Structures are given as structure tokens and as C-alpha cells.
Amino acid sequence: MKKLILFLLLVSSIQSFAQTEEEKVVQRIKQLNEAVFGVKDSAALENLLADKVTYGHSTGKVENRPEMIRGAVTNTTSYTDFKMEDAVVYFENKTAIVRCVISATNVSKDGKTSPLHLGLLLVWVKQKKEWKLTARQAVKL
């Protein structure tokens, strides 16, 4: 009986530590946001992006993988008060489709500030047990 109780407790604790697929995708989005809007980390972006990514900005500019990484790490704008809200994740096989809203304050190199408020559509694909961003499109809200 003790072994059965111990086994059930062990299984229960393992399940409580396991992340759901939705939690994994949301965690990857947070890592992406930090790499783009925070530390501007090319190594993190290399890990987060699929080989063939299409990265659309709210201005209509669309970048491929090398352009997106270069643009993100050389961007001189900094961002404060960054928030991600209303993340909704849908799954279709090994694809996750995410809609969310991000907001922040842009701070330009010369210190001028402006609000950032975007709706995002993100498409993630599961590759070798990791979620990779394959498409992103932003729209101004």
C-alpha cells in the first residue's frame, strides 16, 4: 500500500511540473519578445526562429531570417513598460497559431518617446521537440 501511495504521489508531482504545449509556446513568445524588445540577443533569436521565417512589421515591411535578426540586434530604439496581453493559442498538429497584443513605450536614441501598441499573429511549428517561429505579422492598434 505504501508503494502504491508513493507511486501515485510521484506521478502526480511529475505531472504538476510538466509544462503544457500552450505554456511552452507562451514561454517561447516571452523569450522572443525579450530577444527583440529587451536584450536584442542574436543567439536567442537563432534558437527561436525557423530556418524559413517571414517576419512582418506593422509598417508593412517583411523580413526573412537574416534580415530580421540583423534588424533586431542593430535597432537603436529601446522599449520600456513592455507588456504582452490577451495571448490565445490554437493548435493544429505540429503548428501553434497565436494572437496577442503587445504594448510598450518606444524610446529613440535621442530620448524621444512614443507609444507602441500592436496586435500580433504568430505561427510556431514544432521542430525537433522545440517550437520555432515561422511567421509573424504585426498590426498597429
Side-chain angles (χ1 to χ4, degrees):
M1 185 64 162
K2 287 182 182 179
K3 287 182 182 182
L4 178 61
I5 292 172
L6 183 58
F7 174 75
L8 292 174
L9 285 172
L10 179 62
V11 169
S12 174
S13 66
I14 289 172
Q15 287 179 340
S16 67
F17 287 112
Q19 282 186 310
T20 66
E21 289 303 305
E22 183 174 342
E23 289 168 333
K24 290 176 185 177
V25 170
V26 170
Q27 183 62 34
R28 297 290 278 183
I29 296 167
K30 289 177 182 178
Q31 292 168 353
L32 176 70
N33 290 336
E34 179 64 16
V36 172
F37 298 103
V39 296
K40 302 176 192 287
D41 183 351
S42 63
L45 292 172
E46 292 282 351
N47 180 45
L48 290 163
L49 302 178
D51 289 338
K52 294 191 179 189
V53 67
T54 177
Y55 193 88
H57 295 270
S58 62
T59 60
K61 181 179 182 181
V62 177
E63 298 172 319
N64 62 26
R65 191 174 201 271
E67 292 166 336
M68 182 275 173
I69 293 171
R70 183 174 41 259
V73 299
T74 61
N75 182 1
T76 59
T77 302
S78 61
Y79 303 87
T80 60
D81 306 321
F82 188 91
K83 289 188 295 188
M84 181 180 77
E85 302 173 308
D86 303 329
V88 178
V89 183
Y90 303 93
F91 291 96
E92 184 65 36
N93 298 320
K94 293 184 178 185
T95 303
I97 300 162
V98 182
R99 289 192 176 275
C100 64
V101 174
I102 61 170
S103 59
T105 300
N106 293 337
V107 182
S108 67
K109 193 174 181 179
D110 62 1
K112 293 181 183 175
T113 63
S114 61
L116 174 72
H117 192 68
L118 302 174
L120 299 181
L121 172 64
L122 305 146
V123 180
W124 296 81
V125 293
K126 190 109 184 224
Q127 296 178 345
K128 297 180 183 175
K129 298 184 182 182
E130 281 198 302
W131 289 103
K132 302 282 186 169
L133 181 70
T134 193
R136 179 236 198 214
Q137 185 59 57
V139 295
K140 291 180 184 176
L141 298 176

